[in-house]
Amino acid sequence: MSVVKVIGLGKTYLLKGKDKSVLHAVKNATFELNEGESVGIIGRNGAGKSTLLKLLAGVTLPTSGEAFITGSFSSLLEVGTGFHPDLSGRDNIFLNASILGVSKHETSLELANIIAFSGVEKFIDQPIRTYSSGMKLRLAFAIIAHLKTDIIALDEVLAVGDSMFQIKCMERIFEFKKQGRTILFVSHNLSAINKLCERTLVLESGSIVFDGPTDEALKLYADLTNSQSGQVVSKYLTDLEIGGTKSEGTVLFSLKNLPTNAALDLGINIGTSDGISLYHFSNRFINCDITPEDSTAKIEVKFEHQLKPGNYSISIYIGQNEQQLEWLSNAASFLVPAFNPHGFHNPDSIQGPIISNFSISQS
Amino acid sequence: MLTFDSMPANKPVRHITPNQSFSNWLLQLNERRETLLFFIWKDLKVQYSKPIFGLIWSIFQPLVYFGIILLVMQFSGRQTATTGMPFEVYLIAGLAVWNFCTSAILGSINSIQSNAGIISKSFFPRFYLVLAPMLKSSIDLLIMLLITAGVAAWYGQQMVLQSISLLPTMLFLLWITTMGWAAIATSATIMNRHFRHAIPVLLYAMLFALPIFYSASEMDNSLLKTIYTLNPISGSMDFLRASFGAATPTLNTTIFWLLQSLAWSAIGVLFFRKVEKSLSDRI
């Protein structure tokens, strides 16, 4: 039974400026979701994933096409956006649930469970402004975790919070799945998509370029991200190209507009999508002097890695004369293609992102 | 063509299209009314977390203006020809109405920004952003009306018997017109955020442009007098003053005011519906 039917849905934005260009955030999206299905949505930043969810949630209206949604639909509010800082945690549960369309009666039935799940019982009558961001996040997720909606849209819920909390979230999402609820899951965490969704949509500049089994979608996505250079808009850096295999990686880029000819200080950082730094390569570590001849330079970085399959983020530091010229955080993504040497699934918070050769034997 | 054969039965179906019909819009306003109550409750709870301060802030502005205008009048020795009631009563009634209109419009404009997070992340009827601040300001209005009655009693002006019919007319004119103006001001702010700076100036100009501390009957320019009389907010003030013994406005003017307030609210709703489509993209 299909609970979501999307027919030629599109959203265009008119960009202001001299050329009056049009941005197609979502183009002619057509798909169906069946009851109880968990479907992943992947795509690079700006591919239209969030816009698609916003259209389905009714946050913004499409410019073309139509969609039918049967049953209640809820999407997770970004951490704390629905919270009022001066109200207590308890009051904010009611407020946030009401914004999500849940009645006061329903919320009061679930109140004890929500508070218990959030783990902030002690502070529940304190104003939210006294909460840490982690506490706010836990409370926000606890609310959506107890909603009785038929269809749940989750946009990057795993991008924040500590590892214990992420595990708790993931367990809860699997419970939704067991309960037979329909899940739309947007994430850059490919292993989570792989675990949760049998079917995945791949978005690329607003269009659904693939709709089918998750393993095929992940393969296609790996090709997409590796074949195209990152479009970094920066004053000093251009032509960024990233290449990755299961054990090696290359980062190529050109520098321009350098203010002086002084020796460069370059740093390339590889981290997880949730911000944990894994590798850092700097020309200073290896006493390699890079001196630009004019205001430009071409740089090639080659490295070995032991990363599990998945999407990592590359950040680049450019400095000269002990001064930072630029720090490009999350400048591009580094994709390690799918392979499975040890039979594991997931670079998650328990198993970690790094592989090593090891042996275990009975002695 | 699309069929619903495969759709689960007995569940509400939401149809997402580029345009939303007006009847659907109204239905949603009604369906999600609990969310509206929560918006009002949130603002009240924050304001009255310390009840004394909450009360003081809700009446602080009109009472300060009341004091200042009385002082200025006294020092300048200017006589005010008011319509058969003590100047203090005339003034506080005008300020009560003006204060509601101002705080509802400002509240509505500010609610776009203070709720930017939830607007861009979740769906609720956007018109609540206009309605919630207005309904919240109604509590302050109630307090101001009680103070007005107190001031009137102090100066020996009793509430007249007809006020049972006069006060509802006053509230209707005030609410409906303010809703229209708030919707227009908010829509303009959504379209171009620079209006955020212009509108407070206009609202304070209203303090002088409306017959608050003088009356239209004092004017000798008949055109200007007519313009003053046309305004439904002046009408609301006249009806409030009439409840305390001033002359009751004529039937013709009243009908004109009522129609005009309906027209303002219609313009406001139409304008708001036009810009709310792009609201989540503009903030």
Side-chain angles (χ1 to χ4, degrees), chain A residues 56 66-67 69 71 99 104, chain B residues 7 12 14-16 32 34-35:
Chain A
L56 295 180
E66 58 182 343
I69 291 174
I99 292 165
K104 191 182 169 190
Chain B
M7 293 280 196
R14 192 154 53 90
H15 187 192
I16 298 166
R32 290 290 300 270
E34 211 184 70
T35 306

Side-chain angles (χ1 to χ4, degrees), chain B residues 156-233:
Chain B
Q157 294 289 119
Q158 294 299 319
M159 242 192 176
V160 295
L161 213 60
Q162 308 97 292
S163 52
I164 293 169
S165 68
L166 296 175
L167 278 178
T169 318
M170 171 251 157
L171 286 176
F172 183 88
L173 284 174
L174 183 56
W175 266 328
I176 299 298
T177 313
T178 303
M179 188 184 84
W181 288 3
I184 292 169
T186 308
S187 310
T189 312
I190 296 169
M191 272 181 81
N192 188 334
R193 63 184 64 201
H194 295 294
F195 276 104
R196 245 189 119 226
H197 307 295
I199 287 161
V201 179
L202 291 178
L203 291 174
Y204 285 101
M206 256 170 55
L207 178 63
F208 303 95
L210 288 171
I212 292 173
F213 55 89
Y214 54 85
S215 77
S217 57
E218 286 175 84
M219 295 177 175
D220 35 17
N221 183 327
S222 65
L223 178 69
L224 212 61
K225 204 166 158 175
T226 319
I227 292 172
Y228 267 87
T229 321
L230 289 181
N231 186 334
I233 295 292

Side-chain angles (χ1 to χ4, degrees), chain B residues 10-206:
Chain B
N10 306 324
K11 291 236 167 119
V13 176
R14 192 154 53 90
H15 187 192
I16 298 166
T17 47
N19 289 301
Q20 191 193 20
S21 71
F22 187 59
S23 56
N24 228 328
W25 188 82
L26 287 176
L27 274 178
Q28 258 168 0
L29 273 188
N30 182 43
E31 244 167 51
R32 290 290 300 270
R33 57 188 181 274
E34 211 184 70
T35 306
L36 175 62
L37 292 179
F38 266 106
F39 277 134
I40 301 165
W41 168 83
K42 171 190 78 175
D43 285 345
L44 286 176
K45 186 131 188 177
V46 171
Q47 188 182 342
Y48 288 95
S49 59
K50 293 203 172 65
I52 296 295
F53 283 104
L55 196 67
I56 289 174
W57 289 128
S58 70
I59 54 173
F60 186 70
Q61 175 168 296
L63 289 190
V64 165
Y65 280 104
F66 181 69
I68 290 175
I69 292 168
L70 279 185
L71 277 176
V72 168
M73 287 292 168
Q74 199 142 45
F75 287 134
S76 64
R78 188 173 168 275
Q79 290 298 311
T80 332
T82 50
T83 46
M85 66 194 320
F87 179 65
E88 288 81 359
V89 184
Y90 184 87
L91 177 61
I92 195 83
L95 283 171
V97 168
W98 170 78
N99 186 57
F100 170 78
C101 193
T102 308
S103 65
I105 294 174
L106 283 182
S108 171
I109 292 171
N110 291 334
S111 72
I112 299 291
Q113 233 176 23
S114 56
N115 291 306
I118 54 173
I119 293 170
S120 62
K121 282 286 159 187
S122 59
F123 171 77
F124 56 88
R126 306 309 195 196
F127 201 59
Y128 289 172
L129 296 168
V130 174
L131 289 179
M134 200 179 92
L135 293 172
K136 191 233 142 203
S137 299
S138 302
I139 307 279
D140 302 344
L141 174 67
L142 184 72
I143 298 166
M144 275 308 291
L145 289 182
L146 291 175
I147 290 175
T148 307
V151 172
W154 180 266
Y155 287 96
Q157 294 289 119
Q158 294 299 319
M159 242 192 176
V160 295
L161 213 60
Q162 308 97 292
S163 52
I164 293 169
S165 68
L166 296 175
L167 278 178
T169 318
M170 171 251 157
L171 286 176
F172 183 88
L173 284 174
L174 183 56
W175 266 328
I176 299 298
T177 313
T178 303
M179 188 184 84
W181 288 3
I184 292 169
T186 308
S187 310
T189 312
I190 296 169
M191 272 181 81
N192 188 334
R193 63 184 64 201
H194 295 294
F195 276 104
R196 245 189 119 226
H197 307 295
I199 287 161
V201 179
L202 291 178
L203 291 174
Y204 285 101
M206 256 170 55

Side-chain angles (χ1 to χ4, degrees), chain A residues 2-184:
Chain A
S2 99
V3 287
V4 174
K5 218 167 211 172
V6 179
I7 306 147
L9 208 60
K11 174 83 183 174
T12 55
Y13 292 102
L14 289 172
L15 300 180
K16 282 181 185 158
K18 279 179 224 151
D19 46 349
K20 295 262 182 222
S21 57
V22 172
L23 173 76
H24 297 277
V26 173
K27 273 185 274 189
N28 198 22
T30 302
F31 63 91
E32 280 185 35
L33 294 188
N34 292 319
E35 198 173 9
E37 217 180 358
S38 304
V39 174
I41 299 181
I42 53 177
R44 291 184 293 169
N45 289 336
K49 306 181 294 289
S50 297
T51 310
L52 182 60
L53 284 197
K54 279 184 181 179
L55 289 172
L56 295 180
V59 171
T60 182
L61 289 178
T63 40
S64 60
E66 58 182 343
F68 295 90
I69 291 174
T70 315
S72 48
F73 183 103
S74 67
S75 63
L76 179 65
L77 291 173
E78 206 168 76
V79 189
T81 45
F83 288 150
H84 193 292
D86 291 336
L87 293 180
S88 71
R90 190 188 303 274
D91 289 344
N92 267 300
I93 292 176
F94 281 100
L95 180 66
N96 211 325
S98 171
I99 292 165
L100 290 164
V102 185
S103 73
K104 191 182 169 190
H105 176 70
E106 258 176 84
T107 311
S108 52
L109 291 180
E110 285 290 337
L111 188 64
N113 293 334
I114 293 173
I115 295 173
F117 186 87
S118 70
V120 296
E121 294 99 328
K122 268 200 224 162
F123 311 97
I124 202 66
D125 290 312
Q126 301 297 316
I128 285 267
R129 69 183 130 80
T130 64
Y131 283 33
S132 70
S133 55
M135 286 158 71
K136 275 189 245 176
L137 169 74
R138 289 207 293 271
L139 191 61
F141 187 79
I143 296 166
I144 195 169
H146 292 84
L147 295 181
K148 296 273 188 280
T149 41
D150 306 311
I151 307 158
I152 304 165
L154 300 163
D155 190 359
E156 282 301 350
V157 276
L158 300 176
V160 270
D162 61 25
S163 54
M164 283 311 291
F165 182 69
Q166 289 189 8
I167 294 169
K168 214 170 162 185
C169 286
M170 218 44 210
E171 281 170 1
R172 190 72 194 181
I173 295 168
F174 272 100
E175 264 176 57
F176 293 159
K177 194 178 156 136
K178 267 190 221 141
Q179 290 161 2
R181 291 152 85 179
T182 315
I183 303 171
L184 254 181

